[in-house]
Amino acid sequence: MIIRESDQFFTFVRQHDHGLLSGEIAGHWGNENFIAPKHRLILTTAFHDLSWIESDSILHWNDEENRPYDFTSLPNAARLPMYQKGLNLTEQLHPYGALLTSKHYCSFFRKGQDRDTDLFLQEEQNRRERLRLNLTYFPDSLESDLRHLQLWDNLSLYVCLNRPGADKEEEHPWFKNGIKAFSKMGETVKIHLRWLNERTISLKPFPFTESWATTFPRSKVRKTLGTADPDAENRFRQHICFIPG
């Protein structure tokens, strides 16, 4: 769950809804300066957080902090089996997607953290090696695909983690200095984003052929409801438009 907190409310975005938004960003990506991705990478990006669907049906409450766990704080005891269950499903649907998403998930951890994490990393390495052998195709662009998946993931997180219409000064700290992207020439560039109003985000340089708009679901819950279902108070669709900066 992606959670933004204000004085009276928690605002939620389910991880899979965020993933679908990142896939939509990938589907619009590309112009004379940025390479348009292949369909398999767009599909992988859209479904990279499939693992969270069951978990995000309830709030996981952090009693110590008296707030729900979000995607950064959910304990590994819940996170690791959730990731593996989702990857098992993804593998049935789209083996290359499972391989790439496995690399993405494993990038969140380091060896030697604890026994369970080490076991997860080893089992996922075994999965990727098995998938490499069984895939009828295996692109040379695996590392580039991973970088792009993480790029579109970050662009979607920018939308989900910030208050619509947020001033630059109040943006989430991950994004204040821009988001790293990659040009057709292989150069690293920074995309700088800015909320112009509650529905419009400008990007510079602009990575799409034209401006475009979409919607995605959020939920807003009064803090006084505590551990209530995140849809208990208000589920709505956020409108957003991406335009050149």
Side-chain angles (χ1 to χ4, degrees):
M1 195 79 74
I2 298 170
I3 300 174
R4 184 169 50 80
E5 184 175 359
S6 61
D7 289 342
Q8 298 182 32
F9 294 96
F10 290 120
T11 302
F12 304 91
V13 178
R14 284 179 167 85
Q15 290 288 140
H16 184 53
D17 292 328
H18 139 73
L20 292 174
L21 176 61
S22 65
E24 199 169 354
I25 292 169
H28 284 86
W29 194 264
N31 55 26
E32 68 275 10
N33 296 316
F34 295 92
I35 297 174
K38 296 185 182 298
H39 290 299
R40 64 171 176 262
L41 181 52
I42 297 171
L43 184 65
T44 297
T45 303
F47 286 92
H48 80 272
D49 272 340
L50 195 69
S51 296
W52 288 85
I53 291 177
E54 183 179 344
S55 176
D56 278 358
S57 65
I58 61 171
L59 284 183
H60 299 272
W61 198 258
N62 184 336
D63 290 321
E64 290 184 7
E65 298 189 12
N66 195 32
R67 71 186 310 274
Y69 286 108
D70 69 0
F71 74 107
T72 64
S73 60
L74 186 69
N76 282 354
R79 181 189 302 269
L80 298 178
M82 175 192 73
Y83 280 166
Q84 290 193 306
K85 185 176 180 179
L87 287 166
N88 292 341
L89 176 59
T90 304
E91 185 175 335
Q92 295 176 40
L93 299 171
H94 184 29
Y96 181 73
L99 190 154
L100 192 59
T101 304
S102 174
K103 284 185 70 69
H104 177 55
Y105 285 167
C106 287
S107 71
F108 305 153
F109 307 101
R110 67 180 189 280
K111 259 189 172 180
Q113 282 182 250
D114 55 66
R115 180 180 176 279
D116 289 342
T117 301
D118 285 350
L119 181 61
F120 169 79
L121 292 173
Q122 183 59 57
E123 289 178 347
E124 287 308 309
Q125 182 178 332
N126 295 342
R127 183 198 303 272
R128 294 194 300 275
E129 290 174 355
R130 172 172 51 77
L131 288 173
R132 281 175 182 267
L133 294 174
N134 292 335
L135 282 172
T136 55
Y137 65 90
F138 191 79
D140 296 330
S141 58
L142 179 64
E143 293 303 323
S144 174
D145 284 358
L146 178 61
R147 291 196 301 270
H148 279 88
L149 165 60
Q150 292 168 336
L151 160 63
W152 299 319
D153 184 34
N154 279 328
L155 288 168
S156 177
L157 284 174
Y158 175 88
V159 178
C160 297
L161 282 170
N162 287 303
R163 178 185 65 80
D167 293 333
K168 201 67 185 171
E169 294 72 23
E170 63 176 302
E171 280 185 353
H172 193 284
W174 291 354
F175 310 114
K176 286 186 175 181
N177 296 319
I179 294 174
K180 185 167 69 173
F182 314 94
S183 72
K184 277 185 176 178
M185 304 300 293
E187 299 169 328
T188 299
V189 297
K190 281 284 188 78
I191 294 181
H192 295 276
L193 301 95
R194 181 181 294 274
W195 288 89
L196 302 183
N197 54 52
E198 291 189 355
R199 292 189 172 201
T200 309
I201 294 174
S202 70
L203 300 89
K204 184 178 181 181
F206 192 65
F208 312 113
T209 56
E210 59 186 4
S211 300
W212 61 279
T214 189
T215 66
F216 67 98
R218 294 182 186 263
S219 298
K220 180 182 284 188
V221 178
R222 289 186 182 276
K223 290 181 175 180
T224 52
L225 290 179
T227 59
D229 185 292
D231 286 337
E233 182 161 339
N234 186 11
R235 186 161 167 83
F236 61 99
R237 296 196 71 86
Q238 171 75 45
H239 293 258
I240 195 75
C241 182
F242 298 93
I243 70 169

